[in-house]
Amino acid sequence: MRIGSLAEAVGTTPRTVRHYHRLGLLDEPRRLSNGYREYTIDDVVRLMRIRWLADCGMPLGEIAAALGESPAGETDVVADLRALLVGLEREQSALARKHIRLSALLNDAVEHRQLTALPREVADALSALIGTSAETDREALIRERDLLEVMAISGAVPASFFETVTTTLGDHSLRQRYLGLLRRFSALEGRNPAEAESDIASLAAELESMFDLDSLASDPSDTTVDTEEIGSLSIDDILPDPAQRTVIVRATTRLQTTEHPRSGGTR
């Protein structure tokens, strides 16, 4: 049997067979008097086993051990297989999360909604508010939406935070209070933090109270806001204005009292 026939019988290519020869996984067959290599049924069986293990996800460098041809012994094979399963389960979890997010994005695209990482309720409420607000509030709301989306993508805040935002935007009195806080926050831009200390302190306290940040910090099932960094962005990148930055850092200080592992996103 020539190399082409061998490769065809196993469903691979002559190039792959030669690669296995170079790796030492498949012995090179004897040459006939005419110079051609002659493969046998033993080579077919060997090659099929190699291909089967590779298709199961086993790296080529570990196949020799899996076939009992490595001095490392059975223990290493067991450890390798367990590690491969752990990696596969991790990939499956990641794919499941991607499936959920892509399904949500597909629904948004079908409904001609803007694609966003924000929970749909938050995105819809903000869009409605932006569309009906005065010009003076619209710019601040757009910046707020962008910041919330950065936080959502990074997974730096718990889902319960966005639930609070949804509740706030859905209640008339809370929504008006929220807009008032945004106006005061916008008015801080360009001010010296030392001179604006009173306004910074009161605004930080109101933000903490309005979004119940203290309860988020005490909830062990939630993640915390990292007030120094979101993903690879520092707080200076996100909020370049010193006075506004001080408000956010102060308002979220309690969230740093307990460290929890970050989640993978909000959608």
Side-chain angles (χ1 to χ4, degrees), residues 2 30-38:
R2 302 289 187 267
R30 65 186 180 88
R31 288 185 183 272
L32 300 177
S33 58
N34 58 10
Y36 288 109
R37 288 171 175 160
E38 181 68 16

Side-chain angles (χ1 to χ4, degrees), residues 32-82:
L32 300 177
S33 58
N34 58 10
Y36 288 109
R37 288 171 175 160
E38 181 68 16
Y39 293 90
T40 68
I41 187 61
D42 291 338
D43 296 311
V44 174
V45 173
R46 172 74 177 189
L47 184 56
M48 290 184 73
R49 285 174 176 163
I50 294 170
R51 294 297 302 161
W52 172 66
L53 289 171
D55 289 342
C56 287
M58 181 169 289
L60 294 179
E62 298 174 10
I63 287 179
L67 293 174
E69 300 165 358
S70 171
E74 181 182 353
T75 303
D76 283 345
V77 175
V78 171
D80 289 342
L81 289 172
R82 284 176 174 163

Side-chain angles (χ1 to χ4, degrees), residues 106-195:
L106 176 59
N107 290 335
D108 290 344
V110 168
E111 298 297 328
H112 303 289
R113 293 190 292 249
Q114 180 180 3
L115 302 186
T116 176
L118 287 172
R120 177 46 50 193
E121 296 81 3
V122 175
D124 287 346
L126 281 171
S127 294
L129 190 55
I130 290 171
T132 57
S133 294
E135 186 66 33
T136 53
D137 291 332
R138 194 169 298 137
E139 182 178 350
L141 282 166
I142 291 173
R143 290 176 61 186
E144 176 77 353
R145 181 182 63 189
D146 291 345
L147 176 59
L148 288 174
E149 185 161 24
V150 168
M151 296 166 71
I153 291 172
S154 70
V157 294
S160 54
F161 171 79
F162 289 102
E163 293 169 3
T164 302
V165 173
T166 301
T167 300
T168 299
L169 295 176
D171 181 275
H172 177 73
S173 61
L174 290 176
R175 185 168 62 249
Q176 294 307 307
R177 183 185 172 194
Y178 176 72
L179 286 173
L181 291 178
L182 276 183
R183 294 184 192 113
R184 290 168 57 192
F185 186 77
S186 297
L188 280 176
E189 188 171 5
R191 295 182 62 186
N192 184 309
E195 297 175 355

Side-chain angles (χ1 to χ4, degrees), residues 13 21 78 177 224 246-247:
T13 65
H21 285 325
V78 171
R177 183 185 172 194
T224 64
T246 302
V247 170

